[in-house]
Amino acid sequence: PTTKGIFRGRISLRLHQPTLPRCVARTQLRRTMANAADGLIFRQLFERESHTFTYLLADRQTKEAVLIDPVFETAERDAQLIQELGLKLTVAVNTHCHADHVTGTGKLKELLECKSGISKAAGAKADIYYSHGDTIKFGAHSLEVRATPGHTDGCITLVLDAGKMAFTGDAILIRGCGRTDFQAGNAGNLYDNVHAQIFTLPDDCIIFPAHDYKGMTSATVGEEKTMNYRLSKPREEFIQIMDNLNLPYPKQIDRALPLNMVCGIQDMPDPAQDRDLACP
């Protein structure tokens, strides 16, 4: 296949990253091409309302697939893509119990008969519960589960194939991080876990967050260690920053959290029938 075909078949960085530095874009393009050569199918998908990224990873030979952080409103899109590619979705995993959108795992269980997964510490219902050090295998590839609580007490980061990519949820956002003022969040814990579990990965490991609000799609560990506006600061300064953000109440939290606490249940209530639960 041509370079163009490989590039378009995995993930389009150009469409989503007009402001990305050219040298970083080249590095990520090389990594994407290398993943294709390794037999990895990879797609980064986006849900506009909550600015959420969903990630599809699959083994080209066995067709086994994993989906990370699906959203209810785009679950049918994800299922259609998986079917079009001829993949078998084994598990849909949430990096934490989200407060800004309703997870798509329940809908995907209905559409594709897959399993749902989440950290045991999250306290939500699922088919599979993960703990630090667990491995999610799909074909020749694997995701290592690393506990990274702080944004919530049940956050995990999923590390692909010994450090090629890291799916960080809200623990690290590009040049930022998730808030720590609800869901048992703790700024000190977030700082310690990011530095111990993510910043120790190879500098060229590509970070893929759960959200972005500025048109960025990815970064590297090396970038975030030095350029992250919050997490590159000394610990006490970071805690002070997080304690003084004064962020508004999440607009979907009253609707999303009760539904996400049953994230993997096939008879999960349809969020379309629960609009009255949403915050005004």
Side-chain angles (χ1 to χ4, degrees), residues 47-52 73 98-102 179 182-183 211 213 247-258 274-280:
E47 194 279 316
R48 294 180 182 276
E49 182 66 26
S50 61
H51 298 265
T52 299
E73 284 77 6
H98 299 274
D100 50 14
H101 67 269
V102 175
R179 62 196 295 172
F182 65 94
Q183 288 183 267
H211 305 280
Y213 308 93
L247 296 172
Y249 189 72
K251 65 179 182 179
Q252 292 202 61
I253 188 171
D254 289 344
R255 166 181 167 247
L257 273 183
D274 289 273
R275 300 302 182 188
D276 57 319
L277 295 178
C279 285

Short mmCIF file of all heavy atoms in Angstrom, two decimals, residues 47-52 73 98-102 179 182-183 211 213 247-258 274-280:
data_model
loop_
_atom_site.label_atom_id
_atom_site.label_comp_id
_atom_site.label_asym_id
_atom_site.label_seq_id
_atom_site.Cartn_x
_atom_site.Cartn_y
_atom_site.Cartn_z
N GLU A 47 -16.53 13.14 19.38
CA GLU A 47 -17.91 13.50 19.66
C GLU A 47 -17.94 14.99 20.00
O GLU A 47 -17.30 15.44 20.95
CB GLU A 47 -18.46 12.67 20.82
CG GLU A 47 -19.97 12.73 20.99
CD GLU A 47 -20.43 13.98 21.72
OE1 GLU A 47 -19.81 14.33 22.74
OE2 GLU A 47 -21.42 14.61 21.27
N ARG A 48 -18.66 15.77 19.21
CA ARG A 48 -18.55 17.23 19.25
C ARG A 48 -19.14 17.88 20.50
O ARG A 48 -18.60 18.86 21.01
CB ARG A 48 -19.21 17.83 18.00
CG ARG A 48 -18.52 17.48 16.70
CD ARG A 48 -19.22 18.09 15.50
NE ARG A 48 -18.56 17.71 14.25
CZ ARG A 48 -17.51 18.33 13.74
NH1 ARG A 48 -17.01 19.38 14.38
NH2 ARG A 48 -16.98 17.92 12.60
N GLU A 49 -20.25 17.37 20.99
CA GLU A 49 -20.94 18.04 22.09
C GLU A 49 -20.08 18.08 23.36
O GLU A 49 -19.97 19.11 24.02
CB GLU A 49 -22.27 17.34 22.38
CG GLU A 49 -23.10 17.99 23.47
CD GLU A 49 -23.59 19.38 23.11
OE1 GLU A 49 -23.73 19.67 21.89
OE2 GLU A 49 -23.85 20.18 24.04
N SER A 50 -19.47 16.96 23.71
CA SER A 50 -18.64 16.89 24.92
C SER A 50 -17.15 16.94 24.61
O SER A 50 -16.32 16.81 25.50
CB SER A 50 -18.95 15.60 25.69
OG SER A 50 -18.65 14.46 24.91
N HIS A 51 -16.81 17.12 23.32
CA HIS A 51 -15.40 17.18 22.90
C HIS A 51 -14.64 15.93 23.35
O HIS A 51 -13.51 16.01 23.81
CB HIS A 51 -14.73 18.44 23.45
CG HIS A 51 -15.33 19.72 22.95
ND1 HIS A 51 -14.85 20.41 21.86
CD2 HIS A 51 -16.40 20.43 23.40
CE1 HIS A 51 -15.57 21.48 21.66
NE2 HIS A 51 -16.53 21.52 22.58
N THR A 52 -15.28 14.79 23.19
CA THR A 52 -14.69 13.53 23.65
C THR A 52 -14.08 12.75 22.49
O THR A 52 -14.69 12.62 21.43
CB THR A 52 -15.76 12.66 24.33
OG1 THR A 52 -16.29 13.35 25.46
CG2 THR A 52 -15.17 11.33 24.79
N GLU A 73 -24.08 9.00 22.23
CA GLU A 73 -24.61 9.61 21.02
C GLU A 73 -23.90 9.14 19.75
O GLU A 73 -24.46 9.27 18.65
CB GLU A 73 -24.54 11.13 21.11
CG GLU A 73 -25.58 11.78 22.01
CD GLU A 73 -25.29 11.65 23.49
OE1 GLU A 73 -24.20 11.15 23.86
OE2 GLU A 73 -26.15 12.06 24.30
N HIS A 98 -17.23 8.96 33.68
CA HIS A 98 -17.27 10.31 33.13
C HIS A 98 -18.42 11.13 33.70
O HIS A 98 -19.49 10.59 34.01
CB HIS A 98 -17.41 10.25 31.61
CG HIS A 98 -16.27 9.55 30.93
ND1 HIS A 98 -15.11 10.19 30.59
CD2 HIS A 98 -16.13 8.25 30.54
CE1 HIS A 98 -14.28 9.32 30.00
NE2 HIS A 98 -14.88 8.14 29.97
N ALA A 99 -18.20 12.44 33.79
CA ALA A 99 -19.23 13.35 34.27
C ALA A 99 -19.74 14.27 33.17
O ALA A 99 -20.72 14.98 33.38
CB ALA A 99 -18.68 14.19 35.43
N ASP A 100 -19.10 14.26 32.01
CA ASP A 100 -19.46 15.23 30.96
C ASP A 100 -20.16 14.60 29.77
O ASP A 100 -20.53 15.29 28.83
CB ASP A 100 -18.22 15.99 30.48
CG ASP A 100 -17.06 15.07 30.13
OD1 ASP A 100 -17.30 13.84 30.00
OD2 ASP A 100 -15.94 15.56 29.99
N HIS A 101 -20.35 13.29 29.80
CA HIS A 101 -21.12 12.62 28.75
C HIS A 101 -21.55 11.26 29.25
O HIS A 101 -20.99 10.74 30.22
CB HIS A 101 -20.29 12.47 27.47
CG HIS A 101 -19.14 11.54 27.61
ND1 HIS A 101 -17.88 11.95 27.99
CD2 HIS A 101 -19.03 10.18 27.43
CE1 HIS A 101 -17.05 10.93 28.04
NE2 HIS A 101 -17.73 9.84 27.70
N VAL A 102 -22.54 10.69 28.60
CA VAL A 102 -23.00 9.35 28.92
C VAL A 102 -22.21 8.35 28.09
O VAL A 102 -22.08 8.50 26.87
CB VAL A 102 -24.50 9.19 28.66
CG1 VAL A 102 -24.95 7.75 28.90
CG2 VAL A 102 -25.30 10.14 29.54
N ARG A 179 -10.01 18.38 35.91
CA ARG A 179 -10.25 19.05 37.18
C ARG A 179 -10.21 18.04 38.33
O ARG A 179 -10.39 16.83 38.13
CB ARG A 179 -11.58 19.79 37.14
CG ARG A 179 -12.77 18.89 36.93
CD ARG A 179 -14.03 19.65 36.52
NE ARG A 179 -14.50 20.54 37.57
CZ ARG A 179 -15.49 21.42 37.40
NH1 ARG A 179 -16.10 21.53 36.22
NH2 ARG A 179 -15.88 22.17 38.39
N PHE A 182 -14.22 17.32 42.19
CA PHE A 182 -15.41 16.51 42.40
C PHE A 182 -15.06 15.05 42.14
O PHE A 182 -13.93 14.75 41.73
CB PHE A 182 -16.57 16.96 41.50
CG PHE A 182 -16.33 16.76 40.02
CD1 PHE A 182 -16.75 15.62 39.37
CD2 PHE A 182 -15.67 17.73 39.29
CE1 PHE A 182 -16.52 15.44 38.01
CE2 PHE A 182 -15.44 17.57 37.93
CZ PHE A 182 -15.87 16.41 37.29
N GLN A 183 -15.99 14.13 42.43
CA GLN A 183 -15.79 12.69 42.24
C GLN A 183 -14.53 12.19 42.95
O GLN A 183 -13.75 11.41 42.41
CB GLN A 183 -15.71 12.33 40.76
CG GLN A 183 -17.03 12.43 40.02
CD GLN A 183 -16.90 11.98 38.57
OE1 GLN A 183 -16.67 12.80 37.68
NE2 GLN A 183 -17.05 10.69 38.34
N HIS A 211 -10.28 14.17 25.95
CA HIS A 211 -10.94 15.38 25.47
C HIS A 211 -9.91 16.36 24.92
O HIS A 211 -8.73 16.32 25.30
CB HIS A 211 -11.69 16.10 26.60
CG HIS A 211 -12.67 15.25 27.33
ND1 HIS A 211 -13.92 14.98 26.86
CD2 HIS A 211 -12.58 14.63 28.53
CE1 HIS A 211 -14.57 14.21 27.72
NE2 HIS A 211 -13.77 13.98 28.74
N TYR A 213 -10.29 20.76 23.62
CA TYR A 213 -11.18 21.88 23.35
C TYR A 213 -10.54 22.94 22.45
O TYR A 213 -11.12 23.98 22.21
CB TYR A 213 -11.61 22.52 24.68
CG TYR A 213 -12.17 21.52 25.66
CD1 TYR A 213 -11.35 20.90 26.60
CD2 TYR A 213 -13.51 21.15 25.62
CE1 TYR A 213 -11.84 19.95 27.49
CE2 TYR A 213 -14.02 20.20 26.50
CZ TYR A 213 -13.18 19.61 27.44
OH TYR A 213 -13.68 18.67 28.31
N LEU A 247 -13.90 26.45 38.53
CA LEU A 247 -14.60 26.03 37.33
C LEU A 247 -16.11 25.91 37.58
O LEU A 247 -16.54 25.63 38.71
CB LEU A 247 -14.05 24.69 36.85
CG LEU A 247 -12.58 24.70 36.42
CD1 LEU A 247 -12.10 23.28 36.16
CD2 LEU A 247 -12.38 25.57 35.18
N PRO A 248 -16.93 26.10 36.55
CA PRO A 248 -18.37 25.96 36.72
C PRO A 248 -18.77 24.51 36.93
O PRO A 248 -18.03 23.58 36.59
CB PRO A 248 -18.94 26.51 35.40
CG PRO A 248 -17.84 26.30 34.41
CD PRO A 248 -16.56 26.52 35.17
N TYR A 249 -19.97 24.33 37.47
CA TYR A 249 -20.53 23.00 37.68
C TYR A 249 -20.70 22.31 36.33
O TYR A 249 -21.26 22.90 35.39
CB TYR A 249 -21.87 23.13 38.37
CG TYR A 249 -22.50 21.86 38.87
CD1 TYR A 249 -21.99 21.19 39.97
CD2 TYR A 249 -23.64 21.33 38.24
CE1 TYR A 249 -22.59 20.04 40.44
CE2 TYR A 249 -24.24 20.18 38.71
CZ TYR A 249 -23.71 19.53 39.81
OH TYR A 249 -24.30 18.38 40.28
N PRO A 250 -20.21 21.08 36.17
CA PRO A 250 -20.35 20.39 34.87
C PRO A 250 -21.80 20.29 34.44
O PRO A 250 -22.65 19.80 35.19
CB PRO A 250 -19.75 19.01 35.15
CG PRO A 250 -18.85 19.21 36.33
CD PRO A 250 -19.50 20.26 37.16
N LYS A 251 -22.09 20.72 33.22
CA LYS A 251 -23.48 20.86 32.80
C LYS A 251 -24.20 19.53 32.62
O LYS A 251 -25.42 19.47 32.69
CB LYS A 251 -23.57 21.69 31.53
CG LYS A 251 -22.93 21.07 30.30
CD LYS A 251 -23.09 21.98 29.10
CE LYS A 251 -22.51 21.37 27.83
NZ LYS A 251 -22.69 22.27 26.66
N GLN A 252 -23.47 18.44 32.40
CA GLN A 252 -24.12 17.15 32.18
C GLN A 252 -23.99 16.18 33.35
O GLN A 252 -24.46 15.05 33.27
CB GLN A 252 -23.58 16.48 30.92
CG GLN A 252 -23.92 17.17 29.62
CD GLN A 252 -23.84 16.22 28.44
OE1 GLN A 252 -24.56 15.23 28.37
NE2 GLN A 252 -22.96 16.52 27.50
N ILE A 253 -23.37 16.62 34.45
CA ILE A 253 -23.01 15.68 35.51
C ILE A 253 -24.23 15.02 36.14
O ILE A 253 -24.21 13.82 36.43
CB ILE A 253 -22.13 16.37 36.58
CG1 ILE A 253 -21.60 15.33 37.58
CG2 ILE A 253 -22.86 17.50 37.28
CD1 ILE A 253 -20.56 15.89 38.54
N ASP A 254 -25.32 15.77 36.34
CA ASP A 254 -26.48 15.19 37.00
C ASP A 254 -27.17 14.14 36.13
O ASP A 254 -27.84 13.24 36.64
CB ASP A 254 -27.48 16.29 37.37
CG ASP A 254 -26.98 17.15 38.52
OD1 ASP A 254 -26.03 16.72 39.20
OD2 ASP A 254 -27.51 18.26 38.71
N ARG A 255 -27.01 14.26 34.84
CA ARG A 255 -27.55 13.26 33.92
C ARG A 255 -26.57 12.12 33.70
O ARG A 255 -26.95 10.94 33.68
CB ARG A 255 -27.88 13.92 32.58
CG ARG A 255 -28.13 12.95 31.43
CD ARG A 255 -28.44 13.69 30.14
NE ARG A 255 -28.39 12.79 28.99
CZ ARG A 255 -27.49 12.86 28.02
NH1 ARG A 255 -26.53 13.78 28.07
NH2 ARG A 255 -27.51 12.01 27.02
N ALA A 256 -25.29 12.48 33.53
CA ALA A 256 -24.30 11.48 33.11
C ALA A 256 -23.90 10.51 34.20
O ALA A 256 -23.82 9.29 33.97
CB ALA A 256 -23.06 12.20 32.56
N LEU A 257 -23.65 11.00 35.41
CA LEU A 257 -23.11 10.12 36.44
C LEU A 257 -24.03 8.96 36.81
O LEU A 257 -23.58 7.82 36.91
CB LEU A 257 -22.74 10.93 37.69
CG LEU A 257 -21.33 11.53 37.70
CD1 LEU A 257 -21.07 12.23 39.02
CD2 LEU A 257 -20.26 10.48 37.44
N PRO A 258 -25.34 9.20 37.04
CA PRO A 258 -26.20 8.05 37.37
C PRO A 258 -26.21 6.99 36.28
O PRO A 258 -26.23 5.79 36.57
CB PRO A 258 -27.59 8.68 37.55
CG PRO A 258 -27.32 10.11 37.88
CD PRO A 258 -26.09 10.48 37.10
N ASP A 274 -34.08 10.64 29.36
CA ASP A 274 -33.73 11.18 30.67
C ASP A 274 -33.26 12.61 30.60
O ASP A 274 -32.45 13.04 31.40
CB ASP A 274 -32.64 10.31 31.32
CG ASP A 274 -33.17 8.95 31.73
OD1 ASP A 274 -33.68 8.85 32.85
OD2 ASP A 274 -33.05 8.02 30.92
N ARG A 275 -33.73 13.37 29.63
CA ARG A 275 -33.29 14.75 29.48
C ARG A 275 -33.68 15.60 30.68
O ARG A 275 -33.06 16.62 30.95
CB ARG A 275 -33.89 15.36 28.22
CG ARG A 275 -33.49 14.63 26.93
CD ARG A 275 -32.00 14.57 26.72
NE ARG A 275 -31.68 13.91 25.48
CZ ARG A 275 -30.46 13.58 25.09
NH1 ARG A 275 -29.43 13.83 25.88
NH2 ARG A 275 -30.24 12.99 23.93
N ASP A 276 -34.74 15.18 31.40
CA ASP A 276 -35.18 15.97 32.55
C ASP A 276 -34.18 15.91 33.69
O ASP A 276 -34.24 16.70 34.63
CB ASP A 276 -36.53 15.46 33.05
CG ASP A 276 -36.51 13.98 33.42
OD1 ASP A 276 -35.90 13.21 32.67
OD2 ASP A 276 -37.12 13.62 34.44
N LEU A 277 -33.20 14.99 33.62
CA LEU A 277 -32.17 14.89 34.66
C LEU A 277 -31.05 15.87 34.43
O LEU A 277 -30.24 16.10 35.33
CB LEU A 277 -31.60 13.47 34.70
CG LEU A 277 -32.56 12.35 35.12
CD1 LEU A 277 -31.83 11.03 35.05
CD2 LEU A 277 -33.10 12.60 36.52
N ALA A 278 -30.96 16.43 33.23
CA ALA A 278 -29.84 17.30 32.90
C ALA A 278 -29.93 18.62 33.65
O ALA A 278 -31.00 19.12 33.97
CB ALA A 278 -29.82 17.57 31.39
N CYS A 279 -28.74 19.19 33.95
CA CYS A 279 -28.71 20.50 34.58
C CYS A 279 -29.20 21.56 33.61
O CYS A 279 -28.92 21.47 32.41
CB CYS A 279 -27.28 20.86 34.98
SG CYS A 279 -26.72 19.98 36.41
N PRO A 280 -29.91 22.57 34.09
CA PRO A 280 -30.32 23.65 33.19
C PRO A 280 -29.12 24.47 32.76
O PRO A 280 -28.10 24.46 33.40
CB PRO A 280 -31.29 24.46 34.05
CG PRO A 280 -30.94 24.14 35.47
CD PRO A 280 -30.40 22.75 35.45
#
